[in-house]
Amino acid sequence: DTLAQNLAGIALQLDSVTMQLNDMPENLRESLDQACNLTRYSLSEARRAVSDLRSDELENQGFIEVLPEIANKLTAHTKFQTNIRVTGTPRKLNSVTEKNLLRIFQEAMANAVKHSQARTIEVELKYGIDNLILRVSDDGTGFDTGHIIPLGVGHYGLTGMRERAERIGGLLTLTSKPGEGTELIVELPFSNHPDPHNYMRLEH
């Protein structure tokens, strides 16, 4: 996701340069056009590769088993300590739900590793009677949720997590304050009947 965001940002910057330079030599314009086309192609390939990799992770393992594996990959060679706790009686989820929850988890972990400057990331997967709750929190620097700037384009970052929660009928809540860490919660009813309202909630 981070690679796709960066490529999207490069494409936007190249387009901006092209539009501002009206009298550039023809060979320079051709070079910029070629750079834009290559960047867009790379962006498309990156998104396809990410989608393919993620889809394969649940082929031979259950959702619960995959979480620590992903956490270990994302925090390898870093100072982060990740604690994963599963409570309640695990229930089998349909493949679409599992894949979207997994992608939300991956994005939340990647954001914590890249931005939080935390020491510890806490992950809880709670199976209740009527719902499932996925919680990812860190003790890092936090941020002001009222000044979130969307990164890149497509279904990535916070927008992507909101859309994935919507897709499976869940509610995503993001809570953070500067200096007080960040907590992301996905609440998913086992009925999986989508609610058309408020799929993402930001709390200050």
Side-chain angles (χ1 to χ4, degrees):
D1 284 357
T2 301
L3 173 61
Q5 290 171 0
N6 290 339
L7 287 171
I10 292 171
L12 289 173
Q13 291 297 321
L14 288 172
D15 285 339
S16 176
V17 170
T18 301
M19 287 187 292
Q20 293 180 52
L21 298 178
N22 297 320
D23 298 322
M24 73 177 75
E26 186 62 27
N27 63 333
L28 178 56
R29 181 174 295 278
E30 288 178 357
S31 295
L32 279 173
D33 288 342
Q34 183 179 14
C36 288
N37 291 334
L38 286 172
T39 302
R40 291 191 183 95
Y41 174 78
S42 297
L43 175 59
S44 176
E45 286 297 296
R47 285 177 176 159
R48 182 189 60 77
V50 167
S51 178
D52 290 345
L53 286 171
R54 287 172 170 170
S55 296
D56 291 338
E57 285 172 323
L58 291 169
E59 289 295 323
N60 301 313
Q61 299 183 79
F63 181 71
I64 294 176
E65 289 75 26
V66 171
L67 292 187
E69 181 177 312
I70 291 175
N72 289 337
K73 286 180 180 178
L74 290 172
T75 58
H77 310 298
T78 72
K79 60 182 178 61
F80 290 93
Q81 176 182 339
T82 303
N83 301 317
I84 299 178
R85 181 174 56 158
V86 179
T87 60
T89 303
R91 294 174 58 172
K92 178 62 179 175
L93 306 173
N94 66 60
S95 61
V96 173
T97 298
E98 286 189 341
K99 287 178 181 179
N100 280 283
L101 272 179
L102 181 61
R103 294 185 185 194
I104 293 172
F105 172 71
Q106 288 173 314
E107 186 68 25
M109 285 291 302
N111 286 341
V113 170
K114 183 176 180 181
H115 302 296
S116 72
Q117 301 180 36
R119 291 170 298 177
T120 304
I121 302 173
E122 300 286 346
V123 179
E124 180 183 15
L125 189 63
K126 182 178 181 180
Y127 289 86
I129 297 175
D130 301 316
N131 67 348
L132 171 67
I133 296 176
L134 172 65
R135 185 194 318 270
V136 180
S137 61
D138 65 65
D139 59 357
T141 55
F143 61 95
D144 183 355
T145 58
H147 293 85
I148 295 176
I149 301 176
L151 294 176
V153 294
H155 306 299
Y156 298 93
L158 293 174
T159 299
M161 288 192 284
R162 177 191 61 78
E163 291 176 348
R164 289 166 186 151
E166 174 182 354
R167 195 172 300 146
I168 56 178
L171 172 67
L172 189 149
T173 302
L174 180 69
T175 305
S176 187
K177 290 182 179 180
E180 297 185 17
T182 300
E183 179 181 69
L184 181 140
I185 299 175
V186 179
E187 302 173 66
L188 176 67
F190 282 127
S191 62
N192 276 3
H193 293 310
D195 180 345
H197 304 293
N198 297 329
Y199 286 118
M200 182 173 182
R201 188 166 60 210
L202 297 179
E203 298 184 358
H204 298 270

